[in-house]
């Protein structure tokens, strides 16, 4: 991490640089491991999509454990070019799931791992240029991608949840529906009404309840029990399925998955920065770049060893905040425990035989957070007509893939991979439309105002329009508008100028500046409030008082008198 040293917030007991007592560290690490176990459903889903044997599922789970453990350790490194230095574990595979299904059904496990390796290399490239291409990923783009990560898994999750049997003529099976509903109810109930750490364990509690129900409803076959009995307690992971191949026809879905994973990583690391620094203002991109590179290294390592690609776990970051413990030491112990678990095959086998309704209930629970996270990211900025069209069009074309299967089947073979999943279509659409609709949007805009006129509505309408076009943060735009309005009213009441006052608004992703120029008396902005005696003795004291009050709006103010004109800049951190 770079820049000024972070200030530990009051609600954080063990900060990122602190070292909790050994026993406390172990307990906190075990909690993180328990929360991560719900993500073992992703290897199960991929293997079951091709009716693969349980041995492959066990091996993939074990190797994903090792890769996830390595990722937690690498991500926590705070020196060198790799690692954000935060407690950030690797959890779900949602962004990679559509591409993974396509790869394993097209060319088996070797194609899955080969293309995953390519995605990891591409993500490493993204980490090197993320600061330069940030303009490609404004909040409306990031929010759509996060939303569609969840939406793209809805068809699979709902089918599993409802206990649907068969693809051509789906039929809901009552036992499967009952198991799915009760499992989901236990997860949600524990999360909402559970006390203490029960909320953090809601996923694993729901899965256990689902297993018990599945036993009574006959979802476990003799083969499942045999697989559990035959799995040893201690053994090396099975990697007999491991191999690598490449198919350029499905390259684009994996590249898009890498972009989606990178965007999710940006969001999660930004959250880590914010919860670990009471003075946080904006994302620190050097730190984020190293964090994305750490995830890329883990993705390549996982593909080389037979583990799945994972993304940063938002739920585990929430657990860190809930427990008030964000120490990177916890990440080291969590990673070690994950690696150790990989050598206990019976545990992997337990998840390999997970019944479909239980998987569906767990997936839907995860999806709800992904969908709402995407919406929150989109609504975190002001939205105008252009942004509305970009967002709505991307989502509409994205969900069309799942709503109308086969809709794009008549496209040329070379274009088929681009329309293979709703996530791919939505991401490409939002990226292209965002670039197109940026045309004609000026990064600076000027408004002329006459002191003494009714300027309040002019200012706020002007800033509302520009804030929407720039997708700026609403609270920053409102503060800027209030500062502009306060200045023009002061200019009239204090008779600073009898001529029009030019206000130029300049915006980029990090800054919003109001550059004011006029002929007349220079407004002063003292650091100390003028007292009663000053108001009586100094004829310019009221100008100083007004300037002092304006300091509450802006983060920084500069003023100077040059060549017969007054120049003032209100700066707002964005």
């Amino acid at each position: 991490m770079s820049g000024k040293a972070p200030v530990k917030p009051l609600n954080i007991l063990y900060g990122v640089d602190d070292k909790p007592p050994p026993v406390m560290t172990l307990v906190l690490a075990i909690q993180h491991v328990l929360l991560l176990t719900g993500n073992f459903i992703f290897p199960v889903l991929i293997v079951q999509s091709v009716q693969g044997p349980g041995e492959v599922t066990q091996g993939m789970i074990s190797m994903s454990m090792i890769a996830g453990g390595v990722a937690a350790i690498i991500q926590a490194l705070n020196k060198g070019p790799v690692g954000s230095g935060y407690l950030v574990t690797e959890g779900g595979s949602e962004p990679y799931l559509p591409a993974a299904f396509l790869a394993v059904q097209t060319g088996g496990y070797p194609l899955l791992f080969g293309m995953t390796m390519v995605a990891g290399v591409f993500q490493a490239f993204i980490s090197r240029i993320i600061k330069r291409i940030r303009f490609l990923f404004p909040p409306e783009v990031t929010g759509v991608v996060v939303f569609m990560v969840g939406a793209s898994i809805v068809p699979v999750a709902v089918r599993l949840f409802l206990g649907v049997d068969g693809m051509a003529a789906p039929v809901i099976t009552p036992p499967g529906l009952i198991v799915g509903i009760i499992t989901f109810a236990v997860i949600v109930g524990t999360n909402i009404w559970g006390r203490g750490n029960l909320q953090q364990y809601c996923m694993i509690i729901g899965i256990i309840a689902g297993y018990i129900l599945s036993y009574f409803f006959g979802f476990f076959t003799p083969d499942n029990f045999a697989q559990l009995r035959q799995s040893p307690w201690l053994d090396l992971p099975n990697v007999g399925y491991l191999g690598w191949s490449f198919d350029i026809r499905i390259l684009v879905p994996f590249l898009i998955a890498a972009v989606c994973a990178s965007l999710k990583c940006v969001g999660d690391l930004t959250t880590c920065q914010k919860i670990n620094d009471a003075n946080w203002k904006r994302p620190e991109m050097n730190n984020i770049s190293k964090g994305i590179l750490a995830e890329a290294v883990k993705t390549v390592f996982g593909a080389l060893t037979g583990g799945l690609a994972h993304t940063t776990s938002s739920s585990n970051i929430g657990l860190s905040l809930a427990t008030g413990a964000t120490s990177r030491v916890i990440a080291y112990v969590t990673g070690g425990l994950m690696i150790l678990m990989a050598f206990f095959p019976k545990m992997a086998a337990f998840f390999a035989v997970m019944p479909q309704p239980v998987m569906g209930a767990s997936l839907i629970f995860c999806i709800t957070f992904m969908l709402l996270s995407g919406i929150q990211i989109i609504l975190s900025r002001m939205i105008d007509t252009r942004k509305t069209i970009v967002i709505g069009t991307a989502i509409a074309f994205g969900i069309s893939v799942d709503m109308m299967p086969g809709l794009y089947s008549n496209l040329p073979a070379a274009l088929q991979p681009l329309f293979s999943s709703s996530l791919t279509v939505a991401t490409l659409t939002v990226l292209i439309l965002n670039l197109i609709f940026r045309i004609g949007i000026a990064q600076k805009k000027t408004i002329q105002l006459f002191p003494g006129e009714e300027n309040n509505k002019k200012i706020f309408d002007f800033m509302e329009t520009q804030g929407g076009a720039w997708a700026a943060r609403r609270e920053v735009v409102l503060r800027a508008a209030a500062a502009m309005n306060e200045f023009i009213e002061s200019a009239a009441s204090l008779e600073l100028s009898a001529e029009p006052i030019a206000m130029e608004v300049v915006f980029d992703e990090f800054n919003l500046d109001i550059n004011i120029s006029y002929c007349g008396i220079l407004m002063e902005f003292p650091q100390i409030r003028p007292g009663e005696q000053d108001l009586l003795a100094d004829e310019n004291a009221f100008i100083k008082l007004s300037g002092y009050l304006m300091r509450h709006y802006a983060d920084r103010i500069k003023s100077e008198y040059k060549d017969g004109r007054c120049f003032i800049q209100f700066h707002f951190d964005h």
Side-chain angles (χ1 to χ4, degrees), residues 422-435:
S422 55
L423 176 61
T424 305
V425 172
T427 302
L428 286 175
T429 304
V430 76
L431 286 172
I432 293 171
L433 289 182
N434 175 62
L435 288 174

Side-chain angles (χ1 to χ4, degrees), residues 181-193:
I181 290 175
I182 296 178
T183 301
F184 184 73
V186 172
I187 295 174
V188 173
T190 306
N191 181 264
I192 295 176
W193 293 291

Side-chain angles (χ1 to χ4, degrees), residues 305-450:
T305 56
L308 290 186
H310 290 153
T311 61
T312 49
S313 174
S314 304
S315 57
N316 282 75
I317 294 173
L319 174 60
S320 300
L321 180 60
T323 57
T326 61
S327 170
R328 66 173 61 92
V329 176
I330 301 171
Y332 298 142
V333 178
T334 300
L337 289 176
M338 290 288 289
I339 295 171
L340 186 63
M341 284 172 56
F343 298 93
F344 291 87
K346 197 172 287 293
M347 183 172 294
F350 175 78
F351 291 98
V353 297
M354 183 180 295
Q356 290 188 352
V358 179
M359 283 190 283
S362 303
L363 273 176
I364 288 178
F365 180 75
C366 295
I367 288 170
T368 57
F369 291 94
M370 295 296 296
L371 295 174
L372 267 296
S373 294
I375 293 173
Q376 287 173 344
I377 292 172
I378 293 171
L379 297 181
S380 68
R381 300 294 182 89
M382 299 175 69
I383 302 296
D384 66 351
T385 302
R386 294 189 188 214
K387 300 296 186 295
T388 301
I389 293 172
V390 170
I391 295 166
T393 304
I395 293 176
F397 277 97
I399 62 177
S400 71
V401 177
D402 295 322
M403 291 182 65
M404 295 174 282
L407 178 64
Y408 304 104
S409 59
N410 292 328
L411 291 174
L415 297 178
Q416 287 293 336
L418 300 179
F419 296 85
S420 60
S421 75
S422 55
L423 176 61
T424 305
V425 172
T427 302
L428 286 175
T429 304
V430 76
L431 286 172
I432 293 171
L433 289 182
N434 175 62
L435 288 174
I436 294 174
F437 280 85
R438 284 172 58 89
I439 299 172
I441 297 179
Q443 293 304 104
K444 59 177 64 175
K445 202 78 172 178
T446 302
I447 183 173
Q448 294 275 352
L449 299 172
F450 292 85

Side-chain angles (χ1 to χ4, degrees), residues 250-557:
I250 60 171
L251 176 62
V252 172
F254 275 90
L255 297 184
I256 290 178
V259 171
C260 297
S262 299
L263 293 178
K264 186 174 184 292
C265 188
V266 170
D268 285 336
L269 292 178
T270 299
T271 302
C272 287
Q273 293 176 6
K274 187 174 182 180
I275 66 177
N276 280 283
D277 187 359
N279 294 332
W280 184 87
K281 290 186 179 297
R282 70 185 66 84
E284 210 291 294
M285 296 307 295
N286 285 328
N287 173 259
I288 288 174
S289 175
K290 295 196 295 182
I292 295 175
L293 182 58
E295 184 171 287
V297 170
K298 177 264 165 190
T299 299
V300 173
F301 174 79
L304 287 171
T305 56
L308 290 186
H310 290 153
T311 61
T312 49
S313 174
S314 304
S315 57
N316 282 75
I317 294 173
L319 174 60
S320 300
L321 180 60
T323 57
T326 61
S327 170
R328 66 173 61 92
V329 176
I330 301 171
Y332 298 142
V333 178
T334 300
L337 289 176
M338 290 288 289
I339 295 171
L340 186 63
M341 284 172 56
F343 298 93
F344 291 87
K346 197 172 287 293
M347 183 172 294
F350 175 78
F351 291 98
V353 297
M354 183 180 295
Q356 290 188 352
V358 179
M359 283 190 283
S362 303
L363 273 176
I364 288 178
F365 180 75
C366 295
I367 288 170
T368 57
F369 291 94
M370 295 296 296
L371 295 174
L372 267 296
S373 294
I375 293 173
Q376 287 173 344
I377 292 172
I378 293 171
L379 297 181
S380 68
R381 300 294 182 89
M382 299 175 69
I383 302 296
D384 66 351
T385 302
R386 294 189 188 214
K387 300 296 186 295
T388 301
I389 293 172
V390 170
I391 295 166
T393 304
I395 293 176
F397 277 97
I399 62 177
S400 71
V401 177
D402 295 322
M403 291 182 65
M404 295 174 282
L407 178 64
Y408 304 104
S409 59
N410 292 328
L411 291 174
L415 297 178
Q416 287 293 336
L418 300 179
F419 296 85
S420 60
S421 75
S422 55
L423 176 61
T424 305
V425 172
T427 302
L428 286 175
T429 304
V430 76
L431 286 172
I432 293 171
L433 289 182
N434 175 62
L435 288 174
I436 294 174
F437 280 85
R438 284 172 58 89
I439 299 172
I441 297 179
Q443 293 304 104
K444 59 177 64 175
K445 202 78 172 178
T446 302
I447 183 173
Q448 294 275 352
L449 299 172
F450 292 85
E453 293 186 356
E454 182 57 48
N455 291 304
N456 182 281
K457 188 174 187 306
K458 292 181 184 178
I459 291 173
F460 280 91
D461 287 349
F462 172 78
M463 292 302 291
E464 182 78 18
T465 300
Q466 292 307 124
W470 293 329
R473 288 165 50 197
R474 179 171 291 277
E475 65 271 21
V476 175
V477 171
L478 290 178
R479 280 198 296 128
M484 294 167 66
N485 188 63
E486 182 72 23
F487 178 84
I488 202 68
E489 288 183 355
S490 298
S493 61
L494 300 173
E495 299 181 349
L496 298 182
S497 176
E499 299 182 7
I501 294 177
M503 293 188 174
E504 181 189 58
V505 184
V506 183
F507 176 80
D508 62 37
E509 185 59 30
F510 299 97
N511 309 286
L512 176 64
D513 293 317
I514 311 295
N515 299 318
I516 303 172
S517 64
Y518 61 95
C519 292
I521 303 172
L522 182 65
M523 171 73 80
E524 297 183 53
F525 302 91
Q527 298 279 356
I528 302 175
R529 184 184 187 279
E532 294 181 4
Q533 293 299 322
D534 297 319
L535 296 175
L536 295 174
D538 187 353
E539 61 180 11
N540 292 323
F542 283 99
I543 296 178
K544 294 178 181 179
L545 177 61
S546 182
Y548 169 79
L549 294 175
M550 275 182 238
R551 283 193 172 274
H552 293 284
Y553 293 112
D555 294 299
R556 291 192 300 276
I557 298 179

